[in-house]
Amino acid sequence: MSIDEAWDILLKYDYKRTRNREILLQFFDQADRYVTAMEVRVAVEQDNPGISFDTIYRNLAMFSKLGILDETELNGERLFRMQCATDHHHHHFICTTCGGTKSIPICPMDSVTVNLSDYEIEGHKFEIYGRCPSCIAG
Amino acid sequence: MSIDEAWDILLKYDYKRTRNREILLQFFDQADRYVTAMEVRVAVEQDNPGISFDTIYRNLAMFSKLGILDETELNGERLFRMQCATDHHHHHFICTTCGGTKSIPICPMDSVTVNLSDYEIEGHKFEIYGRCPSCIAG
DNA sequence: TAAAGTAATCGGAATGATTCCGAATTAAAG
DNA sequence: CTTTAATTCGGAATCATTCCGATTACTTTA
C-alpha cells in the first residue's frame, strides 16, 4: 500500500492529516518490512524528537485496525509493516533477523478439507519463519 | 501428551518431581484446551494457594521449551495447552471463546510451491480462529 | 533415615511495554 | 480569523512478566 492510499483511507474516516501520521507512514513506506514498535519509535524520533509513546501506539493501533498496517507477533514481540497491495489474499515468509518478507502465493484455507461447517471461522494465520538469503550471507 | 509422558521428559532432563509441577501438569491434562496464564494461575491456586507467579511462569516457559506445552498468542494474550500426542504433525482450529481446538490434519508446508531454497526455514505457523459449535450454541 | 548438595520456590521488588489522563496544541471548517 | 473537535504531549498508571536473595524441598549417598 502506498502513502497516498493510506491517506485515502484515513481521510475517508475523518482522521486529520497530521505531521506525526505523515512521519509514521513515510517510515513504514520506506521500511518495507516488519519492524518492532521500538524500531518505529527510534526512527520516528529522528524526524520529531519528543513524539510521545502515546501518539505512536495510538496511531499504530488505529492504522492496524483500518488495514493500513499489518500486525503480527514473533517471540513475544509485536511487529508491524505496511499492508501489501490488496490485489489478492496471500501469506508471507518472514525473516526473523531483518523482518523482511517474501510472498507465499498460496492460502492453506483452500486446501482445508476438514469439515468446519458447524464452526464460525473468524480468521486464520499462516506464516513461515526463517532467515532470508541476505541475512544468511551477512 | 499424558502426564506420564511429560514426567518422562522432565526426569530425563533432571528436573525434579515437585508438587507444583504435578499440579500444573494435572491442570493442563484435564483442561485439554488453550488457557491463558491467568487461568492457569487461578486454577492452580485452588490446589496450592500462595504459589508464586515466578513459579508458574518459570515452569510454563520450561514446559514449553521442552515441548510438553504448546504455546501460541491470540489478541496479545499468551495461550498454553498440553502438547498433542506427537504421532504426526498437524495444525489446529482454535475457538476464540473457549480455547478449545479441532485438529486440521493438513500442513500447508506440503503445498508451498514457492522457491525458498535460498532461505533457511526455522518454523511455521498455521491456525484457524473462530467459534466452536458449543460456543455458538451458547 | 540422616546429612549434604543442589534445584525449586517464595515474596516482593523491578522491569518494560503499553495505555490512560488532563491540559495544551493543532488541523480543518465556517 | 474564530471556533470546534481531534490530536498530541508528558507523565503517571497499569499490567504481565521476570529478577533476586533468602528459604524450602527434592534426591542421592552413606
Side-chain angles (χ1 to χ4, degrees):
Chain A
M1 168 168 329
S2 69
I3 296 177
D4 285 347
E5 287 171 314
W7 276 121
D8 286 346
I9 295 173
L10 289 172
L11 297 177
K12 178 174 130 202
Y13 287 100
D14 290 326
Y15 288 105
K16 293 183 176 172
R17 189 184 286 270
T18 67
R19 172 148 174 263
N20 286 328
R21 287 175 184 154
E22 199 73 70
I23 292 171
L24 282 165
L25 290 176
Q26 274 178 27
F27 169 67
F28 279 105
D29 184 59
Q30 61 82 32
D32 193 34
R33 59 188 179 85
Y34 275 107
V35 292
T36 63
M38 180 60 75
E39 281 182 89
V40 175
R41 180 193 141 198
V42 170
V44 159
E45 278 174 346
Q46 306 297 314
D47 292 317
N48 179 8
I51 188 172
S52 77
F53 290 156
D54 187 56
T55 299
I56 294 172
Y57 284 110
R58 183 166 25 77
N59 282 299
L60 287 181
M62 184 264 285
F63 288 177
S64 184
K65 187 183 298 187
L66 292 181
I68 291 169
L69 295 183
D70 198 15
E71 186 175 352
T72 192
E73 184 272 338
L74 192 51
N75 298 131
E77 275 189 330
R78 286 167 79 184
L79 300 176
F80 299 88
R81 62 163 286 165
M82 191 74 93
Q83 185 76 256
C84 293
T86 54
D87 46 351
H88 76 302
H89 174 72
H90 64 281
H91 295 276
H92 289 107
F93 167 92
I94 302 175
C95 178
T96 55
T97 300
C98 71
T101 60
K102 179 181 172 67
S103 289
I104 306 293
I106 66 142
C107 176
M109 295 305 282
D110 298 338
S111 332
V112 170
T113 52
V114 185
N115 186 348
L116 291 170
S117 58
D118 295 337
Y119 291 67
E120 194 177 292
I121 294 177
E122 297 169 344
H124 67 281
K125 181 170 188 170
F126 173 43
E127 290 173 343
I128 304 176
Y129 310 108
R131 297 213 302 151
C132 71
S134 71
C135 285
I136 293 171
Chain B
M1 170 170 325
S2 70
I3 295 177
D4 285 348
E5 287 171 314
W7 276 122
D8 286 347
I9 295 171
L10 290 171
L11 297 176
K12 179 175 131 202
Y13 287 100
D14 290 327
Y15 288 104
K16 294 185 175 170
R17 187 183 287 270
T18 67
R19 171 148 175 264
N20 286 328
R21 287 174 184 156
E22 197 74 70
I23 292 171
L24 282 166
L25 290 176
Q26 274 177 26
F27 168 67
F28 279 105
D29 184 59
Q30 60 82 33
D32 192 33
R33 61 190 178 84
Y34 275 108
V35 291
T36 63
M38 180 59 76
E39 281 182 89
V40 175
R41 181 194 141 198
V42 169
V44 159
E45 278 175 345
Q46 306 296 313
D47 291 318
N48 180 7
I51 188 171
S52 78
F53 290 156
D54 188 56
T55 299
I56 293 173
Y57 284 110
R58 183 166 25 76
N59 281 298
L60 288 181
M62 184 264 285
F63 288 177
S64 184
K65 187 183 297 186
L66 293 181
I68 292 169
L69 294 183
D70 197 15
E71 185 175 353
T72 193
E73 183 274 336
L74 192 51
N75 297 130
E77 276 189 329
R78 285 168 78 184
L79 299 176
F80 299 88
R81 62 162 288 165
M82 190 74 93
Q83 186 75 256
C84 293
T86 55
D87 44 354
H88 76 304
H89 174 71
H90 63 281
H91 296 275
H92 290 107
F93 166 93
I94 303 175
C95 178
T96 55
T97 300
C98 72
T101 61
K102 179 181 172 67
S103 288
I104 306 293
I106 67 143
C107 175
M109 295 305 282
D110 298 338
S111 333
V112 170
T113 51
V114 185
N115 187 347
L116 291 170
S117 58
D118 295 337
Y119 291 66
E120 195 175 293
I121 293 175
E122 296 170 346
H124 66 281
K125 181 171 188 171
F126 174 43
E127 290 173 343
I128 305 176
Y129 310 107
R131 297 212 303 150
C132 71
S134 70
C135 285
I136 292 171

